[in-house]
Amino acid sequence: MKKKILVRTLIILSCALIFTGLAAAQEIPIDEVTKITVEGNDYVSDFEILNAVKTEVGDQTDQNELRSDLQNVFSLGYFSDVNIAFENYQGGLNVIFEVVENPVLKGIEISGNQPIYERDKIIEMLDLNLETVLNVKKMNKNLKKIQEKMQDDGYILARYKDVNVSDEGILKIEISPGYLYSVGVSGNTKTDSKVVLREMPIEAGEVININKIQKGFQNLSRLGYFKNINPKLQRVDGPENSAKLNIDLEEGKTGNLQFGGGYSSNDGWIGFVDVSEKNLFGNGQNIGFKWQFGDTTTYSLNFYEPYLWDSLYSFGFSVYDRETVRTTSTDSSGDLDYLKKSKGGSISLGHPLPNDWRTSLRYRLEDKEEIWDESSDDDKYQEGDLIDGSDKDLQSLTLSFSRDTSNNRFHPTSGSINNLSIEEAGGFLGGDMEFTKYNLDSRRYYHGFKDHAWALRMKLGLSDPRNQSGGLGSEEYDLGGSDSLRGYEQSDFDSNEHDNNNLLLFNVEYRVPFNDSFTGVIFTDAGNVWEDQDKIKLDDLKLGYGLGMRMNTPVGQLRLDYGWDEDSEGMLHFSIGNTF
């Protein structure tokens, strides 16, 4: 018996030397393997351990193969130590894998001043079972996945401060998420720092998330106040695992005096004067006055406060007086021009919603009338006469939901802009017009070849008119012209036979910038208007297509489009600003 123990002890020592690479191969007893056993395992089955061993009964002992078996057993993850011993057995050797099991997992504790994820979420990602031997391999693999997820989710400073297992089987994980020590603003000579900081969805003391910082950068870019925005994140020597954010700015021009003129196929000869300031006194308020004259004459004054009294509510108002020349087809006298007049104003109140959505409620009060601008041959329609039934008072409430994730306010190449609104007129609000309108305007932008861009829009308008005439009157949908269906005039869709109560419009543009001033456009439009909703059909859409040019000028972007209709008849469109 003593001999057996002595032999076993010498073989264990020799094996230890082998696996440190310091023993010669001849020190291992070269003999047939007659048995393979496991010792030291109370929870992990012999079957699971031996399944990782490639050496089989009947093999000759082999140094490399035994080293591989030892590594395979250890790689199972259940053991803190693994050794190999040998015993003489039935004329050969019993190869014994001696293992020391990890503690049985009794509990998991997650600590950190402010864990990035809820405890239950981390436990789920760890995927470790209680009352079983801790599998360190699986634990390390899943801890790495959690670390990668934290990085992917924007927590760029997050790391494990400590991971250990107590003798009682309690796994303790301490996460250091990384905190924002401070936020500073520099370079702003006009804009108040609070205007900048309120656009950042992260404050000092919060866990650093690079996605929030990037979102703030996009918010600041959309304001259009600055030429350059350079956010810098630097580690600090203060609290452990923290950094400070400094937003370095270069102010841009925010006040504009624009004037110009030209010819629009929709509105004839036009001129305009536009005075605006989008960062009034550096407080982030927007005010503007516009005068447009020609076939369409408009006076308008607008004001917008995005953070009313430093709250999350926005406030805006507008007053306007608009007069437009339109053409209609009468029963007996051919085409006649008439003046479409409207004057009034609106006030609105808005508030942000989750996931970048925003809602607003607008009250509109407007006085409308239509007057003949020329006389008919039979004296039935006389210049200056009010068109019967056109003098109406409109009072409405509009509930809107909007979301803007485009990457650039003026030249977007990615993201989307969505607007959904419901307008209720008449009823308890009073006024002469009663209807409900549902409007959806959805725009999507994609990168094209190199710096090119795709721009897509779908516009849907549905209504429920409750006037005696069964139509919307002056509130009916317009279609045709430079801002909707190019290749057609707006009057192409005016009809005495039906009211334009419903609209469906699709626009597709492929935009090719030549330089900072000029952009070429290839476009296709499709749309139509209907009186009844059940008559809306895709195969009833009118098609327009063509080419265009955009020119950036000190007075804004000028648009020149040439479109063809379904009959291949061409039409030139001139306007100001992006189509969508």
Side-chain angles (χ1 to χ4, degrees):
M1 188 64 154
K2 291 181 180 179
K3 182 178 179 181
K4 181 177 181 181
I5 296 174
L6 177 61
V7 169
R8 182 175 178 179
T9 303
L10 290 175
I11 293 176
I12 291 173
L13 177 60
S14 176
C15 187
L17 292 174
I18 289 172
F19 289 111
T20 56
L22 299 176
Q26 62 267 25
E27 292 181 88
I28 290 184
I30 305 300
D31 207 341
E32 181 183 357
V33 178
T34 55
K35 188 177 183 182
I36 303 175
T37 57
V38 181
E39 293 183 359
N41 55 316
D42 296 324
Y43 296 93
V44 184
S45 67
D46 289 0
F47 174 80
E48 186 171 0
I49 298 171
L50 293 178
N51 194 48
V53 176
K54 303 303 180 183
T55 300
E56 298 180 351
V57 173
D59 292 345
Q60 291 291 113
T61 54
D62 179 86
Q63 171 182 331
N64 293 329
E65 192 168 300
L66 288 173
R67 181 187 293 114
S68 176
D69 289 337
L70 182 68
Q71 181 60 45
N72 290 341
V73 173
F74 188 79
S75 295
L76 291 174
Y78 295 113
F79 313 111
S80 59
D81 193 15
V82 180
N83 289 305
I84 294 182
F86 300 90
E87 286 183 340
N88 295 323
Y89 181 77
Q90 295 183 355
L93 293 176
N94 176 16
V95 180
I96 305 170
F97 287 87
E98 297 181 333
V99 298
V100 178
E101 291 179 327
N102 293 326
V104 174
L105 186 61
K106 297 292 185 180
I108 302 176
E109 295 180 358
I110 311 295
S111 62
N113 293 334
Q114 184 179 344
I116 294 174
Y117 308 117
E118 295 291 335
R119 178 184 180 277
D120 291 345
K121 179 65 175 178
I122 298 178
I123 297 297
E124 179 184 346
M125 290 187 288
L126 281 172
D127 192 24
L128 299 175
N129 297 321
L130 299 181
E131 303 302 330
T132 61
V133 174
L134 176 64
N135 190 318
V136 176
K137 178 182 178 181
K138 183 177 182 181
M139 179 191 72
N140 289 334
K141 179 181 177 181
N142 290 340
L143 283 174
K144 183 180 179 181
K145 287 183 179 180
I146 296 173
Q147 178 74 48
E148 291 173 349
K149 179 173 174 57
M150 290 190 293
Q151 296 293 316
D152 292 342
D153 290 346
Y155 301 101
I156 57 175
L157 294 189
R159 59 180 176 82
Y160 298 113
K161 190 174 182 180
D162 189 26
V163 178
N164 65 78
V165 183
S166 68
D167 295 336
E168 293 77 21
I170 305 300
L171 173 62
K172 299 180 179 180
I173 302 174
E174 184 177 359
I175 298 176
S176 178
Y179 292 92
L180 186 61
Y181 182 72
S182 63
V183 184
V185 182
S186 61
N188 51 320
T189 56
K190 172 185 176 180
T191 307
D192 195 311
S193 293
K194 74 175 184 180
V195 173
V196 178
L197 295 176
R198 69 191 184 190
E199 297 297 331
M200 300 298 299
I202 186 170
E203 298 179 353
E206 293 184 14
V207 174
I208 291 177
N209 187 300
I210 194 65
N211 296 331
K212 288 187 175 182
I213 295 175
Q214 291 174 343
K215 176 62 178 176
F217 174 81
Q218 292 176 351
N219 292 343
L220 291 173
S221 297
R222 286 197 196 100
L223 292 177
Y225 301 167
F226 312 106
K227 290 182 180 178
N228 292 302
I229 306 169
N230 186 21
K232 296 180 181 178
L233 194 63
Q234 298 176 323
R235 287 191 176 272
V236 298
D237 297 330
E240 184 181 359
N241 198 21
S242 61
K244 63 181 180 180
L245 174 65
N246 185 71
I247 306 169
D248 188 27
L249 304 168
E250 182 182 355
E251 297 271 11
K253 182 183 68 173
T254 57
N256 285 299
L257 171 60
Q258 301 180 359
F259 55 90
Y263 180 80
S264 166
S265 59
N266 190 36
D267 297 320
W269 290 102
I270 60 172
F272 72 95
V273 176
D274 191 348
V275 182
S276 65
E277 170 57 61
K278 56 188 174 184
N279 188 14
L280 187 62
F281 306 124
N283 293 320
Q285 299 162 335
N286 192 317
I287 190 170
F289 171 78
K290 186 172 183 178
W291 173 33
Q292 180 177 322
F293 49 90
D295 285 353
T296 296
T297 303
T298 302
Y299 302 92
S300 63
L301 175 66
N302 303 280
F303 175 81
Y304 180 71
E305 166 57 78
Y307 293 88
L308 183 63
W309 299 315
D310 294 327
S311 71
L312 293 179
Y313 287 95
S314 63
F315 171 79
F317 74 82
S318 67
V319 291
Y320 51 88
D321 189 339
R322 184 180 302 114
E323 182 179 294
T324 304
V325 178
R326 292 297 189 204
T327 302
T328 187
S329 178
T330 66
D331 294 336
S332 59
S333 302
D335 294 341
L336 292 177
D337 289 341
Y338 68 96
L339 297 179
K340 187 176 181 180
K341 295 184 175 183
S342 59
K343 58 181 177 181
S346 67
I347 58 173
S348 62
L349 193 66
H351 193 276
L353 297 173
N355 298 321
D356 298 320
W357 283 93
R358 188 171 190 86
T359 185
S360 65
L361 186 65
R362 182 187 66 162
Y363 172 74
R364 178 162 66 116
L365 176 63
E366 189 171 305
D367 181 48
K368 298 171 173 289
E369 61 180 15
E370 295 174 356
I371 299 174
W372 292 114
D373 195 36
E374 58 181 333
S375 302
S376 64
D377 295 336
D378 58 6
D379 295 331
K380 184 176 180 181
Y381 308 104
Q382 295 298 310
E383 182 177 357
D385 286 352
L386 184 69
I387 298 177
D388 292 341
S390 68
D391 186 9
K392 292 185 177 181
D393 175 44
L394 170 67
Q395 298 186 55
S396 71
L397 278 177
T398 302
L399 178 64
S400 300
F401 300 91
S402 60
R403 185 173 187 255
D404 185 351
T405 60
S406 59
N407 63 338
N408 188 287
R409 186 175 183 179
F410 303 103
H411 306 287
T413 57
S414 66
S416 63
I417 301 175
N418 296 285
N419 292 281
L420 173 66
S421 67
I422 304 173
E423 183 176 12
E424 182 71 25
F428 70 94
L429 296 169
D432 302 318
M433 306 182 69
E434 291 194 29
F435 59 80
T436 303
K437 294 178 77 172
Y438 308 89
N439 295 303
L440 172 65
D441 190 334
S442 183
R443 310 173 185 192
R444 191 71 175 89
Y445 307 96
Y446 299 93
H447 286 285
F449 180 71
K450 293 186 177 180
D451 56 349
H452 304 177
W454 286 96
L456 294 80
R457 177 174 73 168
M458 184 193 77
K459 189 174 182 181
L460 175 65
L462 303 175
S463 70
D464 177 22
R466 297 187 296 276
N467 302 312
Q468 291 184 354
S469 64
L472 295 172
S474 60
E475 285 293 302
E476 69 177 10
Y477 291 103
D478 288 335
L479 186 66
S482 59
D483 294 324
S484 58
L485 185 56
R486 288 160 287 190
Y488 299 82
E489 291 187 13
Q490 187 273 338
S491 57
D492 291 342
F493 295 89
D494 277 346
S495 173
N496 290 327
E497 298 178 359
H498 65 79
D499 297 301
N500 298 343
N501 295 336
N502 305 282
L503 173 143
L504 180 61
L505 173 68
F506 296 96
N507 303 103
V508 179
E509 288 190 353
Y510 189 73
R511 299 169 178 173
V512 182
F514 301 127
N515 50 46
D516 291 340
S517 299
F518 292 93
T519 299
V521 171
I522 303 172
F523 64 83
T524 299
D525 303 329
N528 208 341
V529 286
W530 297 268
E531 182 170 8
D532 301 316
Q533 295 180 19
D534 57 5
K535 294 182 179 178
I536 298 176
K537 296 180 181 179
L538 291 179
D539 58 5
D540 197 23
L541 297 177
K542 301 297 182 180
L543 181 66
Y545 56 94
L547 305 171
M549 181 67 69
R550 310 289 181 261
M551 182 173 67
N552 298 325
T553 72
V555 299
Q557 187 184 76
L558 302 182
R559 279 193 289 126
L560 188 65
D561 291 322
Y562 194 88
W564 289 271
D565 61 15
E566 290 183 327
D567 298 325
S568 298
E569 295 183 3
M571 179 174 295
L572 186 66
H573 299 281
F574 172 80
S575 192
I576 301 167
N578 241 340
T579 318
F580 59 94

